[in-house]
Amino acid sequence: MDNSKFSMWRACVAVVHLDQKISEDERIWVSEKLANLKLTVDQKAILRSDFENGITIESVVKEITEKKDLAFLLHMVRTIGHLDSDFSSEEKQAFQDLEAKITGNLDLAEISEQIEKMEIASYHKNEVYKTYNKDSLFESMTNAFLKFIN
């Protein structure tokens, strides 16, 4: 497992500690992850230590370099936060901080504009100006004219 993904899992363990109480469901969740993730012996030892001794999310989130790992962590903050049926204020704040970090550098207006242009470009003229009634000379001529001017 690369360092970005491993750091993401360490951050997940940190999320368990955010509200400073560990529920049985959270213990089970961490145990299942340790048992099922493809980790080296050293990585498992680090995650166990993080869980037993506590770790702050700030100390490992800077090591997460892949956007997909950050996005997955954002999802996991919410998931882990609800394991004990109490999405605490600390967990909510961590979610908001992480969301701001992930989306902070994005120009959402520009992205929306690019998506709209891509969508318009994806319309194939033959499909948009398709003649459904092959026997209609009017429909064929109208669609041919519209296709020509567009």
Side-chain angles (χ1 to χ4, degrees):
M1 181 177 300
D2 67 39
N3 190 53
S4 179
K5 190 170 295 309
F6 179 63
S7 296
M8 184 270 306
W9 285 111
R10 290 188 75 196
C12 287
V13 170
V15 171
V16 171
H17 287 278
L18 281 173
D19 60 4
Q20 299 178 358
K21 57 184 177 183
I22 299 173
S23 71
E24 187 59 28
D25 289 332
E26 290 168 330
R27 283 185 194 285
I28 292 168
W29 184 85
V30 171
S31 295
E32 287 175 353
K33 294 304 172 201
L34 285 170
N36 296 323
L37 290 173
K38 293 182 182 187
L39 300 165
T40 66
V41 172
D42 289 340
Q43 288 173 329
K44 283 186 181 188
I46 291 169
L47 283 178
R48 272 193 199 94
S49 175
D50 290 347
F51 181 67
E52 291 169 10
N53 302 315
I55 185 173
T56 63
I57 195 166
E58 296 82 14
S59 66
V60 289
V61 79
K62 62 184 176 267
E63 300 293 323
I64 305 171
T65 56
E66 296 291 325
K67 291 184 186 217
K68 63 183 177 185
D69 295 333
L70 282 168
F72 187 73
L73 175 59
L74 184 62
H75 164 73
M76 292 308 296
V77 170
R78 187 167 265 173
T79 300
I80 295 166
H82 285 93
L83 283 175
D84 60 1
S85 300
D86 178 25
F87 195 44
S88 70
S89 60
E90 294 90 349
E91 291 161 333
K92 288 177 188 171
Q93 187 62 51
F95 181 85
Q96 291 170 350
D97 293 346
L98 190 58
E99 184 178 44
K101 177 180 171 63
I102 292 169
T103 61
N105 295 331
L106 298 177
D107 183 349
L108 298 178
E110 180 184 336
I111 291 170
S112 294
E113 184 179 315
Q114 288 177 353
I115 290 170
E116 187 175 328
K117 285 179 182 177
M118 289 168 54
E119 182 180 1
I120 290 168
S122 73
Y123 297 141
H124 192 275
K125 288 183 179 182
N126 290 337
E127 191 61 33
V128 173
Y129 301 111
K130 183 177 183 177
T131 300
Y132 292 96
N133 183 355
K134 304 267 188 229
D135 294 329
S136 172
L137 181 60
F138 177 75
E139 183 179 0
S140 295
M141 295 299 287
T142 302
N143 285 338
F145 176 71
L146 290 172
K147 184 176 174 183
F148 174 75
I149 63 171
N150 286 313

